Amino acid sequence: GAGVSQSPSNKVTEKGKDVELRCDPISGHTALYWYRQSLGQGLEFLIYFQGNSAPDKSGLPSDRFSAERTGGSVSTLTIQRTQQEDSAVYLCASSLLLTYSRGYTFGSGTRLTVV
Amino acid sequence: RKEVEQDPGPFNVPEGATVAFNCTYSNSASQSFFWYRQDCRKEPKLLMSVYSSGNEDGRFTAQLNRASQYISLLIRDSKLSDSATYLCVVIASSSNTGKLIFGQGTTLQVKP
């Protein structure tokens, strides 16, 4: 597609439920990143994919968080047993690996609210 | 200490003013530097890369001081549409993942 697409744009879930967030990167972009932005906070790195593998998952806050990427394209971030502190905007970005030094394109994010 | 630090502001300036934002980074191995702009409830968008020699894009000028580990953004002749949060971003050269490290952002409000 023309840009990075994320779905859903908004998600309200009950505490304890599992959620899946989807990211569809720009076609041909091999690098994919997930970030999280809590209210009034900066962006926090979660995980990096190169192709289908995740060489850096150091930002995942707990084992309730997992992510996968298939076909070198779509990525899914899963949060199990959601907690209220998981409420945030989850942003996905993609880049052609060799051009990352020129910045990335972000999707418009998924706003997750845990009630 | 945060890896990238910015004065959160807010900076309230009148239209036409010149305003400067500063940012410091702690990792001397940082290699790539950027300013991103984020409008309220929107995703960050790349404003400009920052080079050692300094670079300009219209009313925006970015400077990098590697010795002091300091990055700046100057906005001349501010417009109402410049109102946003400006994010200072670095990538460490030790990173082979291109991971962006974000500052918390500086909020600018341009008033008529």
Side-chain angles (χ1 to χ4, degrees), chain B residues 21-39:
Chain B
F21 305 139
N22 303 319
C23 164
T24 57
Y25 58 95
S26 60
N27 186 344
S28 59
S30 295
Q31 190 66 26
S32 298
F33 309 89
F34 309 94
W35 284 101
Y36 274 72
R37 170 189 169 132
Q38 186 172 29
D39 291 286

Side-chain angles (χ1 to χ4, degrees), chain B residues 12-111:
Chain B
N12 294 300
V13 304
E15 269 188 293
T18 295
V19 61
F21 305 139
N22 303 319
C23 164
T24 57
Y25 58 95
S26 60
N27 186 344
S28 59
S30 295
Q31 190 66 26
S32 298
F33 309 89
F34 309 94
W35 284 101
Y36 274 72
R37 170 189 169 132
Q38 186 172 29
D39 291 286
C40 189
R41 300 176 75 87
K42 298 285 191 182
E43 73 275 19
K45 292 185 178 174
L46 179 65
L47 178 65
M48 57 198 303
S49 301
V50 188
Y51 304 114
S52 296
S53 54
N55 48 301
E56 188 174 308
D57 183 1
R59 297 181 294 107
F60 298 82
T61 301
Q63 296 277 355
L64 168 65
N65 184 322
R66 286 187 184 272
S68 301
Q69 295 179 205
Y70 171 98
I71 305 160
S72 65
L73 177 68
L74 183 77
I75 305 175
R76 290 181 299 278
D77 188 22
S78 304
K79 311 290 184 194
L80 295 175
S81 57
D82 294 335
S83 297
T85 297
Y86 291 84
L87 302 167
C88 178
V89 185
V90 305
I91 300 177
S93 64
S94 57
S95 163
N96 59 2
T97 68
K99 181 169 76 179
L100 298 176
I101 308 296
F102 286 81
Q104 284 202 284
T106 299
T107 299
L108 171 66
Q109 186 68 43
V110 181
K111 308 273 191 196

Side-chain angles (χ1 to χ4, degrees), chain A residues 7-60:
Chain A
S7 61
S9 54
N10 282 283
K11 176 73 178 178
V12 180
T13 190
E14 290 180 355
K15 180 181 169 181
K17 301 276 191 189
D18 297 353
V19 294
E20 281 190 356
L21 313 180
R22 177 187 167 106
C23 172
D24 200 343
I26 292 172
S27 179
H29 279 194
T30 54
L32 186 148
Y33 304 78
W34 283 98
Y35 287 82
R36 175 169 78 171
Q37 187 171 31
S38 302
L39 188 63
Q41 301 297 311
L43 275 79
E44 174 191 6
F45 168 80
L46 297 177
I47 187 168
Y48 157 69
F49 284 94
Q50 173 52 34
N52 292 337
S53 64
D56 187 352
K57 44 180 90 168
S58 61
L60 294 178

Side-chain angles (χ1 to χ4, degrees), chain A residues 55-99:
Chain A
D56 187 352
K57 44 180 90 168
S58 61
L60 294 178
S62 75
D63 59 8
R64 296 187 295 105
F65 287 72
S66 63
E68 65 174 15
R69 189 178 184 193
T70 55
S73 182
V74 173
S75 176
T76 303
L77 177 68
T78 302
I79 309 173
Q80 295 179 308
R81 305 181 302 282
T82 51
Q83 304 294 314
Q84 287 186 327
E85 63 263 26
D86 300 334
S87 296
V89 177
Y90 289 81
L91 290 155
C92 175
S94 72
S95 172
L96 280 171
L97 180 62
L98 295 180
T99 64

